[in-house]
Amino acid sequence: MNYNVNEKGYYGDFGGAYIPEMLYPNVEELRQNYIKVMQEPDFQKEFKELLKEYVGRPTPLYYAKRFSEKYGTKVYLKREDLCHTGAHKVNNTIGQILMAKRLGKNRIIAETGAGQHGVATATVCALMGLECIVYMGAIDIKRQAPNVARMKMLGATVVSAESGSKTLKDATNEAIRDWINNPTDTHYIIGSVVGPHPYPDMVARFQSVISEEVKKQLLEKEGRENPDYVVACVGGGSNAAGIFYHYLDKPEVGIIAVEAAGKGIHSGESAATSALGKEGIIHGSKTLLMQTDDGQITEPYSISAGLDYPGVGPMHAHLFRSGRGEFISVTDADAMQAGLDLCKLEGIIPAIESSHALAIFEDRKFRKDDVVVVNLSGRGDKDLNTYIEYFKLA
Amino acid sequence: MNRINKKLQEDKKLLSIYFTAGYPKLEDTVPVLEELVKSGVDMIEIGLPFSDPLADGPTIQESSTTALKNGMTTTKLFDQIKDIRKTVDIPLIVMGYFNPMLQYGVEKFCKACSEIGIDGLIMPDLPLAEYEEHYKATFEKYDLKMVFLITPQTSDKRIKQIDTASDGFIYMVSSASTTGKTSGFSNVQREYFERIDALNLKNPQIVGFGIKDEETFKAATKTAKGAIIGSAFIKMLTEKGIEGISSFIKSIRP
Ligand SMILES: Cc1ncc(COP(=O)(O)O)c(C=O)c1O
């Protein structure tokens, strides 16, 4: 089976470009050019240089000794938390800003939930001297004040999305509406492997640097390129796509996707899309999404704003349906505890998103000599307030 | 003959109105429809509300949110309008986003429309390629005309493809925008209207987005066959209710 995108923009049953005609010229321009542009030597050169000199890649593949001892297996952490701006999101924004420049666009828009993608976009716009407008749900603006301030310091305009439920899905709607209203000079930097084709594939390719590095690093450390498992949290699925990418066609590598169960899958407050979602259309893509029987998109919940999305990217919907991926969901409580455990065991404060991936070891048992690589997608600085409130640390 | 094709043959400029089903009150769908017909409109687009209407500006978004809160669903709409053909004989089009249709079942949806006497569908996020590959046969089986959009950015080549795929009219979006922009028409729009007119398409065009009064209606229908009013109508409905419909329609086309 093929786990990558086909020439029509589908992963199995999922993907495509279900967009209004107003977006067609922009999306089509991108579709026709993205692979060609990415393969140009000078694009590759600039992309690699920025990832090295500006983002700080390659990020370490760190053997987590005490964490491994606790769970009786060999756990490596891919340290995306050490990227400039604090998460993997910047790999994609670097790639897309270079793409936007080559397509002649001078105005950049983005959506953001927790603010990580907004900060990563504002950062690369500052770097390139381009105008930057970030849409963010009114509720998220209140929850994520430090990231709002960071975006403003970086010169971005933050626009409050006041429609619908005023969170990530609505911020995405507003960004898409902005693009409809600005059809010639604007590029939309989507923050995950979601949206109409070619976005899921383009973002996955930019994030694939993560597994490209893991292969080399693991060869040095373990004498083999392939771990037994790769594990990542899934909001839209970009950090997961990045660490799965070069292993999709390696059946000997188990793929584990971790979703946010919120207060429990059946609590009515959850973001576990594979468990609760049905096939449908969200933000221009046919995928699994949480919705009512009538096809209205419902509001997800997770303590982690980055996982608080009612869909998953079409690649992940396909990994789920085909059985290639193992999907596990983790509650707020278990994720928070796993985050705190990592602080105490390894001296690393993880983003709450990443803590979800760390939490599976309590119940999901691995063999003693299994090599398990967990994508530590981001650092926890942005989540300090949530950690403080949750554990009454202050 | 399908009512849309028949209506397009009439020797006049057509006025079509969009409204959101279940707005302002859940049970207003049929009264709004009947009042519009009484006021002399030529065609009606019944909006099936969606939680995430990407192509719509604030006015239609808010009316959709209200309609959903009121309890509007696909099943409810079909039930409300099941006897509509006893009182209404102008063309009726259902306009909505693709996901609710997909959940209802595409074939089941088409069948229900056909049993009610719906003449066509506008699904802005069901693109031409997907439609032709997967859904065209079903739409045609139930004699439902799929209406496609074009915009000032649509290439001539694609407009010709859309013209070939259409049998009815082409929905000509007046400017690069979501619904409800009310800045009026500039030379850019007038040039666009003329450019499309000069293409001599087989399907007539009906202009939508940004039509709000007599002046914009006249400007849009100088070359096009008709025009669609959505946001301006919803705004009026919010302010004046069903009683305001007939004088609103008179103000557009005295
Ligand atoms: C640290 C971190 N991890 C994961 C995610 C989830 O996004 P994705 O599933 O696209 O990796 C986010 C999103 O904000 C994030 O900030």
Side-chain angles (χ1 to χ4, degrees):
Chain A
M1 187 166 314
N2 175 26
Y3 299 105
N4 238 312
V5 77
N6 68 21
E7 67 290 347
K8 286 190 169 158
Y10 279 82
Y11 298 83
D13 301 331
F14 302 107
Y18 293 81
I19 46 166
E21 190 62 31
M22 294 80 114
L23 287 178
Y24 182 83
N26 274 324
V27 172
E28 182 62 11
E29 178 186 31
L30 197 59
R31 189 186 70 80
Q32 285 185 1
N33 290 295
Y34 80 110
I35 290 182
K36 199 172 69 199
V37 170
M38 283 172 80
Q39 285 171 346
E40 282 165 8
D42 87 0
F43 181 96
Q44 279 299 321
K45 182 162 172 280
E46 201 177 350
F47 183 52
K48 287 197 175 130
E49 242 167 54
L50 283 169
L51 288 183
K52 178 161 179 271
E53 306 293 338
Y54 189 71
V55 174
R57 303 204 72 90
T59 58
L61 182 68
Y62 165 71
Y63 176 60
K65 186 160 170 284
R66 297 187 65 212
F67 190 88
S68 295
E69 274 163 12
K70 175 168 180 192
Y71 292 109
T73 190
K74 281 178 112 170
V75 180
Y76 284 89
L77 302 177
K78 182 59 174 161
R79 298 290 309 273
E80 294 300 297
D81 60 316
L82 295 177
C83 288
H84 178 43
T85 71
H88 69 290
K89 296 279 177 189
V90 73
N91 303 327
N92 169 44
T93 60
I94 294 267
Q96 285 205 51
I97 201 89
L98 297 179
M99 180 69 60
K101 276 181 70 178
R102 279 163 179 78
L103 296 176
K105 311 288 178 176
N106 52 30
R107 182 174 174 274
I108 300 296
I109 56 173
E111 85 295 340
T112 196
Q116 282 308 105
H117 174 60
V119 167
T121 305
T123 298
V124 297
C125 286
L127 181 67
M128 298 293 166
L130 296 182
E131 184 186 0
C132 180
I133 297 117
V134 179
Y135 289 89
M136 188 169 185
I139 291 178
D140 291 333
I141 287 184
K142 283 208 197 97
R143 298 199 273 208
Q144 309 287 337
N147 271 345
V148 176
R150 287 166 84 195
M151 288 186 269
K152 288 185 177 163
M153 286 180 74
L154 292 160
T157 306
V158 180
V159 181
S160 174
E162 303 283 348
S163 60
S165 48
K166 304 182 173 51
T167 59
L168 177 58
K169 95 175 160 68
D170 310 285
T172 308
N173 291 341
E174 289 305 328
I176 292 175
R177 288 181 186 121
D178 178 305
W179 212 17
I180 288 175
N181 284 287
N182 295 282
T184 51
D185 62 345
T186 299
H187 175 73
Y188 176 21
I189 300 192
I190 292 187
S192 191
V193 287
V194 301
H197 178 66
Y199 275 105
D201 184 45
M202 180 172 70
V203 176
R205 285 169 188 257
F206 288 139
Q207 292 292 0
S208 71
V209 62
I210 299 173
S211 48
E212 195 181 305
E213 289 174 4
V214 171
K215 276 169 62 183
K216 280 189 215 133
Q217 293 168 321
L218 208 58
L219 186 62
E220 270 173 33
K221 291 174 199 290
E222 291 284 333
R224 53 169 163 140
E225 285 190 342
N226 297 345
D228 296 291
Y229 296 92
V230 280
V231 183
C233 66
V234 175
S238 66
N239 87 87
I243 199 152
F244 297 167
Y245 197 86
H246 290 286
Y247 298 120
L248 289 170
D249 298 320
K250 302 267 181 326
E252 64 274 27
V253 180
I255 282 176
I256 301 180
V258 186
E259 293 179 316
K263 297 185 176 162
I265 288 190
H266 301 295
S267 65
E269 292 181 79
S270 177
T273 305
S274 71
L276 299 168
K278 283 182 300 182
E279 187 173 326
I281 311 282
I282 182 169
H283 299 137
S285 177
K286 186 183 268 184
T287 188
L288 294 172
L289 62 128
M290 291 165 55
Q291 52 182 314
T292 66
D293 291 340
D294 197 44
Q296 310 297 339
I297 300 174
T298 52
E299 196 45 34
Y301 162 82
S302 165
I303 193 166
S304 130
L307 303 183
D308 206 350
Y309 184 70
V312 287
M315 173 198 276
H316 301 294
H318 181 48
L319 291 174
F320 176 71
R321 182 168 285 179
S322 66
R324 173 71 182 95
E326 177 181 347
F327 282 66
I328 297 176
S329 57
V330 162
T331 60
D332 288 357
D334 290 347
M336 294 303 285
Q337 190 56 50
L340 195 60
D341 286 352
L342 193 76
C343 300
K344 302 271 157 69
L345 287 170
E346 299 289 349
I348 298 171
I349 302 176
I352 298 172
E353 289 81 7
S354 321
S355 300
H356 283 73
L358 297 166
I360 66 163
F361 291 89
E362 285 292 330
D363 292 328
R364 173 69 168 84
K365 292 300 165 201
F366 296 91
R367 286 190 308 260
K368 199 168 172 316
D369 56 355
D370 275 343
V371 170
V372 185
V373 178
V374 179
N375 201 8
L376 199 71
S377 56
R379 68 177 90 123
D381 307 31
K382 70 181 174 64
D383 297 318
L384 271 190
N385 276 336
T386 313
Y387 278 123
I388 289 168
E389 269 174 41
Y390 191 87
F391 291 113
K392 312 260 177 305
L393 297 172
Chain B
M1 191 193 277
N2 183 297
R3 289 181 199 89
I4 296 174
N5 302 90
K6 212 184 291 171
K7 179 60 81 178
L8 290 163
Q9 287 176 1
E10 286 180 17
D11 184 23
K12 65 171 188 185
K13 300 295 185 181
L14 305 180
L15 172 58
S16 181
I17 296 291
Y18 166 93
F19 78 101
T20 306
Y23 181 83
K25 297 268 159 43
L26 182 60
E27 297 303 336
D28 283 342
T29 311
V30 172
V32 168
L33 268 165
E34 291 181 343
E35 186 65 16
L36 280 168
V37 175
K38 243 197 266 166
S39 310
V41 307
D42 297 298
M43 190 154 65
I44 298 173
E45 287 160 36
I46 306 169
L48 182 59
F50 181 47
S51 55
D52 294 75
L54 290 180
D56 287 301
T59 304
I60 293 181
Q61 284 172 42
E62 277 157 31
S63 68
S64 303
T65 306
T66 304
L68 291 172
K69 275 201 194 114
N70 290 344
M72 183 47 71
T73 64
T74 307
T75 310
K76 179 77 191 167
L77 173 63
F78 288 156
D79 187 55
Q80 285 180 338
I81 60 175
K82 66 178 189 298
D83 294 324
I84 199 71
R85 283 305 175 194
K86 291 188 179 145
T87 52
V88 170
D89 60 7
I90 62 172
L92 296 176
I93 293 174
V94 169
M95 177 160 183
Y97 289 79
F98 189 42
N99 196 50
M101 182 182 197
L102 206 55
Q103 299 313 313
Y104 192 84
V106 172
E107 169 120 27
K108 195 176 146 204
F109 192 102
C110 290
K111 186 158 180 276
C113 285
S114 141
E115 280 165 7
I116 291 164
I118 297 295
D119 306 291
L121 296 173
I122 304 177
M123 296 269 149
D125 59 345
L126 174 55
L128 180 63
E130 301 291 341
Y131 169 74
E132 296 213 296
E133 191 171 332
H134 299 293
Y135 305 110
K136 186 172 191 245
T138 311
F139 279 47
E140 286 179 351
K141 178 171 157 197
Y142 294 100
D143 192 25
L144 291 166
K145 304 296 178 195
M146 173 73 172
V147 178
F148 292 103
L149 278 54
I150 61 171
T151 82
Q153 275 70 39
T154 313
S155 69
D156 284 1
K157 178 165 164 245
R158 188 162 166 87
I159 291 175
K160 298 228 165 88
Q161 284 169 354
I162 286 171
D163 191 38
T164 309
S166 304
D167 170 28
F169 66 91
I170 290 175
Y171 192 135
M172 191 167 144
V173 176
S174 64
S175 63
S177 74
T178 42
T179 54
K181 283 271 151 74
T182 52
S183 43
F185 293 140
S186 67
N187 282 337
V188 179
Q189 268 92 37
R190 281 187 279 273
E191 276 164 29
Y192 161 59
F193 295 161
E194 279 160 22
R195 173 167 73 85
I196 302 303
D197 193 44
L199 289 174
N200 283 316
L201 303 176
K202 87 175 157 76
N203 292 279
Q205 304 93 52
I206 298 193
V207 179
F209 290 37
I211 320 284
K212 56 175 180 184
D213 51 19
E214 186 185 2
E215 190 192 332
T216 43
F217 179 76
K218 271 195 177 149
T221 54
K222 193 161 165 250
T223 53
K225 178 68 186 169
I228 302 167
I229 301 181
S231 298
F233 178 75
I234 306 262
K235 264 194 200 129
M236 183 288 299
L237 205 55
T238 307
E239 282 160 22
K240 304 200 176 126
I242 296 177
E243 298 74 51
I245 292 180
S246 91
S247 60
F248 178 82
I249 299 300
K250 274 202 202 86
S251 77
I252 305 292
R253 206 167 54 174

